[in-house]
Amino acid sequence: MSTTPLDLVVVSAGVSEQSSTRLLTDRIAQKTLDTLRDAGVPATASVLDLGPLAVDIARAVVSGFPGEDLKRAVTRLAAADGVIAATPVYKAGISGLFKSFADVLDNDLLVAKPVILAATGGSARHAMVPDEQLRPLFAFLRAMPVPTSVYATPEDWGSPDLGRRIARASTELALLLRSGVGREIADTAWDGYQHQFSGNATRAERSAADVDFTTDLMRLAAGGGR
């Protein structure tokens, strides 16, 4: 077994200093780390707060060119072994900040990466937002969301049910990470996915040396025959 710690990245779209979204991700991350530690698997977790990046994200959505802080954030996310993604619910939907951040990511940045989906809101009426809105989004990004999503309202914080949901989701993430199936899928099937040239995915093709000019399509594009 590798002694290199697994790297978890928490993406939190909470914008207040003590946001419930950040509090929820902290609980999920700690439970995941504890579960991995109990299995003898070293792991670390870092937090990617989207609030301080809001202006940079908005500029990138409009211009297509991320600033240096946003580039570093995306690079951290691309290198993660697993992700915990959480958003507050505003007007029955995920936050615009979270969606805008997803919009600046390459479609192949999270290929086969295990993810816990989480959200916080003021009412239990929006409990399906993680599954109805986050799950399709991460399916489009070809990530691997765990079966259990986590949603919390103010009255949930003292409830043992929330702890059980967190434990279940954390166990699912830990098992996926321990199996290495996500990395194996990405390694084995990478060439079968469509990639953006010079994109922000970890293994994106960035120069002419990365391109196979011997394929039929490339020969035709270069003016050659089949």
Side-chain angles (χ1 to χ4, degrees), residues 156-192:
D156 286 328
W157 292 106
S159 168
D161 287 340
L162 177 60
R164 285 192 286 268
R165 291 198 302 274
I166 290 173
R168 189 165 68 240
S170 298
T171 298
E172 291 164 356
L173 179 61
L175 288 171
L176 281 174
L177 291 171
R178 287 172 56 194
S179 73
V181 65
R183 185 173 296 276
E184 186 172 353
I185 289 172
D187 289 343
T188 304
W190 184 258
D191 291 339

Side-chain angles (χ1 to χ4, degrees), residues 50-187:
L50 299 186
L53 296 170
V55 173
D56 209 359
I57 290 170
R59 286 174 178 162
V61 169
V62 173
S63 69
F65 297 100
E68 291 304 315
D69 288 343
L70 182 55
K71 283 182 181 178
R72 284 191 290 269
V74 172
T75 298
R76 282 174 55 196
L77 184 60
D81 294 297
V83 177
I84 298 167
T87 176
V89 173
Y90 297 131
K91 300 186 185 302
I94 64 175
S95 76
L97 177 60
F98 188 95
K99 181 57 168 64
S100 295
F101 178 67
D103 287 344
V104 305
L105 303 178
D106 280 7
N107 292 346
D108 54 0
L109 187 87
L110 299 177
V111 166
K113 210 176 285 290
V115 182
I116 288 179
L117 307 177
T120 57
S123 168
R125 290 178 297 172
H126 306 307
M128 290 302 294
V129 165
D131 289 308
E132 292 180 342
Q133 298 185 30
L134 285 179
R135 198 169 292 276
L137 173 61
F138 280 86
F140 176 81
L141 294 171
R142 295 171 296 202
M144 290 175 46
V146 303
T148 301
S149 59
V150 182
Y151 177 79
T153 63
E155 58 266 25
D156 286 328
W157 292 106
S159 168
D161 287 340
L162 177 60
R164 285 192 286 268
R165 291 198 302 274
I166 290 173
R168 189 165 68 240
S170 298
T171 298
E172 291 164 356
L173 179 61
L175 288 171
L176 281 174
L177 291 171
R178 287 172 56 194
S179 73
V181 65
R183 185 173 296 276
E184 186 172 353
I185 289 172
D187 289 343

